[in-house]
Amino acid sequence: MTPPRRQVPGRRTAVLRREAVLATVPVAVAALLGAAGPAAAGTTGAAGAGDPYFPLSGNGGYHVGHYDLTLRYDPASRRLDGKAALTARATQRLTRFDLDLSGLKVTGVTVGGHSAGFRRDGQELVVTPGHALRAGQEFRVAVSYHGTPGPVTDPDGSADGWIPTDDGAFVAGEPQGAMTWFPANNHPKDKSSYDFTITVPEGRTAVANGVLRGTRTAHGRTTFRWHQAEPMAAYLATATVGKFQVERYTTHDGIQVYNAVDPREARAAAPVLKKLPSVLEWESRLFGPYPFKAAGSLVDHAPDVGYALETQSRPLYDSAPDVSTLVHENAHQWFGDSVSLTAWKDIWLNEGFATYAEWLYAEQHGGDSAQKAFDDLYARPASNRLWAFPPGDPGSGENIFDTPVYARGAMTLHELRRAVGDRDFFRILRAWAAGHRAGHGTTAQFTRLAERLSGKDLDPLFRTWLYEPGKPARP
C-alpha cells in the first residue's frame, strides 16, 4: 500500500514518499536579473531566470515592480476569470519577453495600453509589444485570461498552485505554482508588491497576502481587496477561497492579524492560533523586528494536500497546525519571505533556519534542548535518508523539500552555534535578517557574515555540514 504521508513543517510539509523528520546590503534586483542564467540573445528576454532546478521559472529582461490582480472565481464551476496588470521595468532593450502562465486561455494582451502580439509556448506566454522597450523603460503589461485552473506536479510528486477544494481553492505556489493562476515572473529573484481584488460567491471568503483594504457585497457576490506592500516572490502569493471563520485584531506592536479558519478545523486550531502573538514576539526578540505590516493564519480543510506553506504575511495550512508548525511557518517570514533565495539549491537558508527555530522554541519553552534534537538526529545510521545528500547541494528539484534540507540544515546551524557561542550566533541571525531585509541572500553571503561577526575561520564547518556527502564525523 502507499506509505502514509508525514508532515515535515516547512515550506511545505511535503507529500513525502520517504521519511521526513555578507554582505549586509540587500542585493539589487537589477543586478540579480542581469547576472542570472542564460544571457538574453539580442533584444529577446530570456525564457527563464537561469535556475538549474527549474530552468523555465522566471524570465529575463525585466523586473516586475507591482502586480495588480483582479480575479473572479466560482467554486461550483471552478472557473477563474482574471486580469493581471504588471508594472515593470526593462533591464535591457526588449522586442519580446516572456511571462510564466500555465493552462489558462489568454484573450488579450496590451503593453503600454496598446495591443501586443502574444503566443503560448508551454508554460511561457511570449509577448511582442508594438514598439521595442528601451533599457530602463517602465512599462505596464495587462493580460486578460480565463479557464479552469489546476495544480502543477512538482519533481517530488506533490502538487502546488491552484488546488481546488470542496468549497473553494487552496492556493500554494512553491516552487512553481504561481503560474497556474496569474502571469508572473515566477522566480524568487523577482520580488514585487501586490494588489488583489478577488470576487467570490457571497458566503465564501477570499484571503490573500498583506492588509485587507475592504470588502463589498452586491448581487450575491463579495469582493475582497488586499494589499501586500512589502516585496514578495510570486510563489508566496495566495488567493485561497473557502468558507472560513474570520478573526481580526491588532497586536500591541501594531501588526494587523487576520485569521481565517475552516469551521471543520476551528476547534483544533483555536488553542494554537491563540499563541500567534506570543510566537511572533518571541521570534522578533531572536531575529529582529517582524518584517511585515500584517500577520495571521489561513487554516483550510484540504486533507489531500499534505503540507503547509509560508505564504507571505499569512501562512497557509491544510489543516489545524500544531505549535511547532506555527513556529516554523512564521519563522519563514524572516527566513525565506523577507530574505529570499536567489537559487533553489540554497533552500536550506529557508528550511534549515525555520526548522532550527522549532528547536529553539522547544528549548526555551520547556521542551527538549536543541542539543538533544541534534544528538537524536546524529544517532541515525549512515544509511539513513538524513545523510542522502548535503543540504547545500540537494542536486535537483526533486530533493529540495527532503529531510536533509530541513534536518541537516538545522544541524548545520547548531554546529555554527556551538562553534561561535550564543552571543555571536544570535548576532549573526539578526544581522542576516536585517541586512537582507526585503531582499535576497546566498549561502556564500551567509557564511561570510558568520565569519566576519565571529572572527573565526568557519570554512571547514560549512564545507563539512553543507557540502560533503554522507554522515559527517562527530566534531
Side-chain angles (χ1 to χ4, degrees):
M1 72 175 190
T2 302
R5 295 177 302 169
R6 294 191 177 187
Q7 282 198 333
V8 179
R11 144 231 163 182
R12 49 206 276 165
T13 323
V15 182
L16 295 175
R17 296 193 174 101
R18 306 183 183 98
E19 180 191 5
V21 224
L22 162 114
T24 58
V25 178
V27 180
V29 172
L32 282 168
L33 295 175
T43 60
T44 300
D51 195 301
Y53 291 1
F54 301 96
L56 290 178
S57 290
N59 301 284
Y62 65 94
H63 159 57
V64 181
H66 183 73
Y67 290 85
D68 191 346
L69 304 179
T70 302
L71 308 173
R72 182 185 179 99
Y73 186 62
D74 178 30
S77 66
R78 296 186 174 178
R79 178 183 170 102
L80 176 70
D81 292 278
K83 182 172 182 178
L86 288 62
T87 303
R89 178 176 55 81
T91 58
Q92 64 176 75
R93 187 171 186 271
L94 285 175
T95 57
R96 194 179 77 198
F97 60 90
D98 286 16
L99 294 166
D100 298 313
L101 184 67
S102 174
L104 297 166
K105 180 177 177 59
V106 176
T107 56
V109 178
T110 64
V111 176
H114 301 286
S115 293
F118 64 91
R119 62 179 174 85
R120 306 300 294 273
D121 183 10
Q123 71 181 54
E124 301 297 308
L125 173 62
V126 183
V127 178
T128 304
H131 300 282
L133 303 170
R134 303 183 312 274
Q137 179 180 346
E138 290 191 356
F139 64 97
R140 181 178 173 90
V141 54
V143 181
S144 298
Y145 58 97
H146 64 80
T148 305
V152 294
T153 301
D154 294 325
D156 65 358
S158 58
D160 79 283
W162 192 281
I163 304 173
T165 62
D166 60 2
D167 62 356
F170 181 98
V171 183
E174 188 182 31
Q176 304 178 88
M179 66 181 177
T180 66
W181 59 283
F182 69 98
N185 195 352
N186 189 24
H187 192 277
K189 287 177 180 176
D190 204 58
K191 297 174 67 169
S192 319
S193 59
Y194 282 73
D195 280 297
F196 305 84
T197 303
I198 311 169
T199 300
V200 293
E202 187 175 359
R204 300 298 205 281
T205 300
V207 186
N209 310 83
V211 175
L212 181 64
R213 286 281 182 85
T215 63
R216 182 176 63 86
T217 299
H219 309 296
R221 292 188 171 273
T222 303
T223 298
F224 296 81
R225 294 187 300 108
W226 295 89
H227 178 65
Q228 171 60 54
E230 300 88 355
M232 177 170 72
Y235 81 87
L236 297 168
T238 190
T240 292
V241 176
K243 296 179 179 178
F244 295 119
Q245 296 175 357
V246 173
E247 175 188 30
R248 301 178 68 180
Y249 61 89
T250 302
T251 71
H252 65 81
D253 292 327
I255 300 168
Q256 297 184 43
V257 176
Y258 186 103
N259 293 327
V261 183
D262 188 297
R264 293 166 287 187
E265 302 291 339
R267 177 175 292 185
V272 178
L273 299 192
K274 284 182 179 178
K275 295 181 179 292
L276 179 60
S278 63
V279 166
L280 293 178
E281 184 177 353
W282 174 80
E283 291 181 330
S284 296
R285 288 198 302 270
L286 262 61
F287 310 141
Y290 181 72
F292 307 118
K293 297 180 180 68
S297 306
L298 215 180
V299 183
D300 207 344
H301 180 74
D304 294 330
V305 170
Y307 60 80
L309 176 65
E310 62 272 17
T311 42
Q312 187 159 306
S313 76
R314 189 164 296 107
L316 173 62
Y317 307 94
D318 69 332
S319 61
D322 58 19
V323 174
S324 291
T325 305
L326 187 83
V327 169
H328 186 117
E329 301 302 337
N330 282 284
H332 274 308
Q333 303 307 305
W334 284 263
F335 307 116
D337 292 14
S338 178
V339 183
S340 298
L341 301 174
T342 64
W344 284 109
K345 72 177 181 63
D346 277 346
I347 195 167
W348 85 277
L349 290 170
N350 295 7
E351 301 303 349
F353 281 51
T355 301
Y356 198 67
E358 292 182 67
W359 297 9
L360 291 170
Y361 188 86
E363 179 176 83
Q364 297 182 23
H365 291 81
D368 289 342
S369 68
Q371 185 63 53
K372 185 176 188 306
F374 179 98
D375 291 341
D376 287 348
L377 286 168
Y378 191 82
R380 296 184 180 187
S383 59
N384 189 269
R385 184 67 189 169
L386 173 62
W387 316 113
F389 58 85
D393 187 15
S396 75
E398 182 179 1
N399 296 330
I400 60 176
F401 305 117
D402 208 341
T403 306
V405 170
Y406 292 74
R408 185 167 162 178
M411 295 173 82
T412 301
L413 290 174
H414 190 69
E415 284 295 278
L416 173 63
R417 181 184 176 189
R418 283 163 43 89
V420 304
D422 277 12
R423 177 178 174 274
D424 282 345
F425 177 73
F426 289 107
R427 283 180 63 214
I428 291 165
L429 293 189
R430 287 190 292 270
W432 179 247
H436 295 264
R437 185 183 177 102
H440 299 82
T442 67
T443 296
Q445 288 172 327
F446 179 75
T447 59
R448 288 198 300 268
L449 174 69
E451 290 190 322
R452 182 171 64 81
L453 292 185
S454 68
K456 294 180 180 292
D457 176 10
L458 298 170
D459 181 69
L461 185 157
F462 287 120
R463 185 174 63 250
T464 297
W465 282 92
L466 289 180
Y467 296 112
E468 288 184 0
K471 182 177 180 178
R474 186 76 183 190

